[in-house]
Every structure is written in C-alpha cells, then in structure tokens.
Amino acid sequence: MSTKINRPFFVFNPKSYLYGEELLAWAKRADELALKYPECSILVTVPYADIAAVKNATEQIIVTAQHMDGIKPGRGIGHVLPESIYHAGARAVFLNHAERPLTVSDLSQALKRAKELGIQTIVCADSIAEAQAVAIMGADVILCEPTELIGTGQTSDSAYIQQTNQAIKEIDETILVMQAAGISTAEDVYRTIELGADGTGCTSGITNAESPLEMLTEMVEALVKAYKERG
C-alpha cells in the first residue's frame, strides 16, 4: 500500500476517546473503507501505545501519530522519539495541534526530523497568517482549524475555507489543505470538500454519534462523492 497522503483524504482522529480493542475495531472498519475507496487516503490517528497494534491489524489506512518531538536518539525521557513511532508503524504525524502546541523552533525541528524519516506531517494552523508560515516551513498537509471552533459542531465559514486554501496554494500548490473545524455530519464533509479542501476529518462527530461506525462510513462516502462531483 502507498503511505503517501493523496487527495481527497479523510482523517479519523479519536484522540483519547478510544484505545485498545475498541480502537482496533474502529481502525479495521476504516481499513475496509480504504480498501473500498482506493481513490482516497484514510488516516487514523492513534495513541502512541496503540500504534503497533493498529498497524499490525490493518493494511490500507495510514497510521498516524498524535504528536512527536524533534529529537534524535539519546537523552530525552518522556519525549516522543520520531524513530520510535516510525518503528511502531506510523507514517504520518500531527504537529502543533491546539492540545499540543509547539514553538516555532520546536515545530521546525520536528518537521526536519519527519522529513529525514519519511514521516508525512499534518501541521495545524488556526489563522491564515499561521497557515502561510507553516506552508513556508514545508508541511505536507496543513490543517486550517480555528481553535475556538474545535469540538463545537460549528464549521468554518466559506470565506475562511476559500481564503486559507488560496493562501497556502499560492505558496506551494503541492501542499494539501485540510479543513476540519466543527465537522459533525456527512453534509459538513461534503460542503468542505465542495469548497475546495483536499481533505477533512472528525473526532467527536463520529465518537459521539448514535451509530459511530455508520457515521464514519457516511463521512467517507460523502468525501468521495464531493470530490468526484467537484471535478
């Protein structure tokens, strides 16, 4: 399987809602969807302790770490070593999430280490200016997500989505743009892709749904449909 993130892509990010056997069941469902829809990439972010188990239980999804530190093997107790998550099976990583922010210096070092190992980077930015800065730094994917909208069920407005898409592509058209603030329904997914995003994702909209696995399925189907119809 390819571990390169292609457009369109969907990220299921269960944060700390899921772990162990329950997380494995969800990851396997995501893997089935990735096999059914090979034209899109499906990523699942998992806690560090579950990376190897999820990797060993799946074939098609891109297993993604929730964070890593820009360190090299050696000293650094309690830090997340890039080589460690790579060895466990992660081929992508989230950086600078609102719940795990990084200084500019730390982000730069983490990006450098990820490139050395072939780990793809999804870097969070909560403003157009920050997205432009991250684009210059060379992220593979930029998640444009105003911090105040995370988990609210309120999506970014059309102007924000279109402006951030344009601002990033003007700097580097190869960078993929992810818009995911407030995604809670399949309709939200469709609208976001329709407005020009390369990918989207969800956490509580899936984990808190009445039928979570069905919601995951509906969101991936909406992603594929919107991208095809966008042309």
Side-chain angles (χ1 to χ4, degrees):
M1 62 157 287
S2 171
T3 56
K4 183 180 185 300
I5 303 172
N6 296 309
R7 63 170 69 92
F9 63 90
F10 187 85
V11 181
F12 174 42
N13 180 20
K15 297 183 179 177
S16 295
Y17 287 95
L18 302 173
Y19 59 90
E21 292 301 318
E22 189 175 11
L23 175 60
L24 280 179
W26 289 59
K28 289 176 181 177
R29 178 54 182 152
D31 205 51
E32 292 171 1
L33 290 168
L35 182 61
K36 183 177 180 180
Y37 299 106
E39 65 269 37
C40 72
S41 294
I42 298 180
L43 295 80
V44 179
T45 66
V46 299
Y48 313 123
D50 291 297
I51 290 175
V54 170
K55 176 62 178 176
N56 291 336
T58 58
E59 295 180 358
Q60 301 298 321
I61 61 172
I62 299 175
V63 180
T64 306
Q66 297 180 348
H67 167 77
M68 75 175 203
D69 296 300
I71 61 172
K72 293 185 177 182
R75 296 186 59 177
I77 190 168
H79 293 280
V80 183
L81 177 69
E83 279 83 356
S84 178
I85 64 168
Y86 186 91
H87 176 74
R91 293 298 180 267
V93 63
F94 263 80
L95 295 172
N96 199 44
H97 192 277
E99 297 177 22
R100 197 67 168 81
L102 293 171
T103 64
V104 172
S105 175
D106 287 343
L107 176 57
S108 176
Q109 189 60 31
L111 284 166
K112 178 182 177 183
R113 296 273 21 247
K115 288 184 185 300
E116 289 172 357
L117 293 171
I119 298 173
Q120 295 182 92
T121 53
I122 305 164
V123 182
C124 303
D126 74 351
S127 68
I128 294 175
E130 192 169 55
Q132 290 172 316
V134 171
I136 292 170
M137 295 172 75
D140 295 303
V141 178
I142 299 178
L143 169 51
C144 303
E145 189 172 57
T147 302
E148 66 271 15
L149 297 183
I150 296 174
T152 65
Q154 178 183 346
T155 58
S156 299
D157 62 42
S158 301
Y160 176 87
I161 291 176
Q162 292 168 339
Q163 288 169 10
T164 49
N165 289 349
Q166 181 179 353
I168 291 167
K169 298 295 185 179
E170 285 178 351
I171 292 171
D172 186 343
E173 63 181 14
T174 68
I175 294 175
L176 300 180
V177 181
M178 178 179 174
Q179 303 275 359
I183 298 294
S184 57
T185 66
E187 289 74 21
D188 291 337
V189 170
Y190 186 94
R191 169 182 171 271
T192 299
I193 300 303
E194 184 181 38
L195 287 171
D198 297 309
T200 189
C202 187
T203 298
S204 57
I206 296 173
T207 59
N208 295 341
E210 187 174 331
S211 301
L213 293 178
E214 184 177 325
M215 178 62 76
L216 173 62
T217 302
E218 290 176 359
M219 286 187 172
V220 171
E221 290 174 345
L223 173 99
V224 173
K225 183 174 186 288
Y227 192 75
K228 284 182 179 178
E229 293 180 354
R230 196 174 84 187

